Amino acid sequence: MKTHHYLAITGGVGGAKLALGLSKLLGGDELAMIVNTGDDFRHLGLHISPDIDSLVYALSGESNPDTGWGRRDESWQFMDALAALGGETWFSLGDRDLAMHIERTRRLEAGESITRVTAGLASALGIEHRILPMSNDPVHTKVLTASGVMDFQHYFVRERCEPVVSGFKFDGAERANISPEIDQCLNDPALAGIILCPSNPFVSIDPILAVHGMRQRLVQCAVPVVAVSPLVGGAAIKGPTVKIMRELSLPNTASSVAGHYRDFLDGFVLDVQDTALNEEIEALGMKVTVTQTVMETLDDRMKLAQVCLDFLGQLL
Ligand code: FO1
């Protein structure tokens, strides 16, 4: 019989750090992770799921420590050969990483759901926790820019997040269903809390919340929901969060992020550098706990994970 069961909601690199910390504290049947698939795209004939792979590699100890995406100890023979043929090389696929995309594409084209495929690939890498794509239906994050609508990876990688954004849309989200596996987790009587990991709110968390019915499930959730701030002192650890907030005329503060989720949040985990924001975030109708949220080491990841679990316990 499960004691408690927790759900983490995460995008790629930043959120995966906390997910790894949680995975070290909780057993395979005590933690499931809902992961963003809005970044998924078809490239070179392959179905690529960047945030699923950042999470899978992080949990299996395979992730490239420098980039946060792709695999460690990588080689680039394929990319070199592709370049020599005049192929598209703006999106780097390492030789070992390539196996993941080829095997995922093969299994999807054989008719398996992305949830089943992810479970198979994750267990092949020794992961015992459940990694649950946000939906088995396709959702594509699109970036609204002055020069038109862009595919997410074109914005994020090819254009290096340089275009000025005016908004995002998540094509297919209103038709996408919460997967049966996620539905089962949300209905699990052993569920004791939900943790929004410190991923980019606009391009990593919002696509998940946009899946038909998902945000409503969190609003109605009987157990506490907490979020870890993706900003520290008004800056993101990595990625375009602050640039996006500026372009959307949103204050680049933790309070602004807390406000973005306020309709379903019970608690907010704030970094020690932002202690001064404590009251204004509590005024949004949620509890606040202050701790170090910057994760450099595995110990940092586990300490932050423990703070989140303790916080959920206080809010139950
Ligand atoms: N990000 C980059 O900035 N450049 C790349 O060439 C790149 C390749 C890549 C390959 C596989 C993969 O799973 C992720 C990859 N990413 C790359 C990261 C990816 O674009 C981002 O992790 C997410 O889409 C946003 O979190």
Side-chain angles (χ1 to χ4, degrees):
M1 171 57 188
K2 273 179 290 204
T3 49
H4 286 313
H5 161 79
Y6 297 90
L7 258 182
I9 293 177
T10 185
V13 184
K17 289 181 179 177
L18 178 56
L20 176 62
L22 288 164
S23 77
K24 297 295 183 191
L25 304 179
L26 299 168
D29 67 349
E30 295 175 310
L31 171 68
M33 289 149 279
I34 297 176
V35 62
N36 172 41
T37 58
D39 295 6
D40 288 18
F41 74 128
R42 191 114 189 130
H43 183 60
L44 304 176
L46 298 170
H47 180 113
I48 295 178
S49 300
D51 281 359
I52 292 177
D53 289 349
S54 291
L55 184 59
V56 164
Y57 291 149
L59 294 179
S60 58
E62 269 299 315
S63 58
N64 180 314
D66 308 321
T67 54
W69 50 264
R71 292 185 80 148
R72 65 169 64 251
D73 312 327
E74 192 54 281
S75 56
W76 305 94
Q77 303 288 316
F78 165 70
M79 288 302 288
D80 294 346
L82 183 64
L85 294 173
E88 278 189 80
T89 55
W90 58 271
F91 194 79
S92 302
L93 295 170
D95 298 331
R96 303 176 74 222
D97 186 36
L98 193 55
M100 179 70 82
H101 311 303
I102 289 176
E103 180 59 5
R104 170 179 289 118
T105 303
R106 181 191 68 78
R107 292 181 64 163
L108 287 172
E109 286 174 358
E112 283 191 72
S113 71
I114 186 101
T115 301
R116 294 268 313 118
V117 172
T118 301
L121 296 171
S123 70
L125 287 176
I127 295 168
E128 59 179 27
H129 296 87
R130 275 174 297 162
I131 298 178
L132 305 176
M134 66 194 201
S135 173
N136 287 321
D137 304 314
V139 177
H140 294 111
T141 298
K142 301 288 183 187
V143 186
L144 310 182
T145 75
S147 48
V149 179
M150 292 182 85
D151 289 347
F152 179 76
Q153 293 301 339
H154 287 170
Y155 163 76
F156 192 88
V157 179
R158 202 183 59 189
E159 307 305 327
R160 291 181 302 285
C161 304
E162 282 161 11
V164 173
V165 305
S166 56
F168 301 94
K169 64 189 181 92
F170 311 116
D171 287 354
E174 66 290 338
R175 292 186 305 282
N177 292 313
I178 291 174
S179 67
E181 294 82 357
I182 290 176
D183 190 51
Q184 187 226 331
C185 280
L186 288 168
N187 289 332
D188 186 337
L191 183 64
I194 298 176
I195 299 161
L196 257 69
C197 296
S199 291
N200 182 313
F202 308 98
V203 297
S204 300
I205 302 294
D206 277 356
I208 300 172
L209 301 178
V211 171
H212 180 72
M214 184 77 80
R215 194 175 192 115
Q216 204 46 33
R217 295 293 289 272
L218 296 183
V219 168
Q220 291 160 352
C221 192
V223 299
V225 184
V226 301
V228 175
S229 178
L231 297 184
V232 174
I237 306 303
K238 196 167 186 277
T241 305
V242 170
K243 178 177 183 286
I244 289 169
M245 293 180 95
R246 287 217 180 94
E247 290 164 3
L248 297 180
S249 309
L250 295 169
N252 55 306
T253 62
S255 317
S256 180
V257 175
H260 193 66
Y261 300 137
R262 68 182 299 190
D263 52 325
F264 59 80
L265 269 197
D266 302 297
F268 196 76
V269 182
L270 189 60
D271 189 82
V272 286
Q273 288 185 43
D274 293 315
T275 308
L277 300 176
N278 195 323
E279 288 69 33
E280 78 183 46
I281 294 173
E282 291 207 329
L284 295 171
M286 60 189 79
K287 293 289 181 215
V288 174
T289 194
V290 178
T291 188
Q292 176 191 318
T293 64
V294 178
M295 297 173 276
E296 259 127 25
T297 65
L298 177 59
D299 196 45
D300 293 340
R301 289 159 170 76
M302 291 170 70
K303 281 200 177 93
L304 180 57
Q306 191 58 60
V307 165
C308 292
L309 296 178
D310 296 345
F311 192 26
L312 285 168
Q314 292 155 21
L315 293 169
L316 254 182

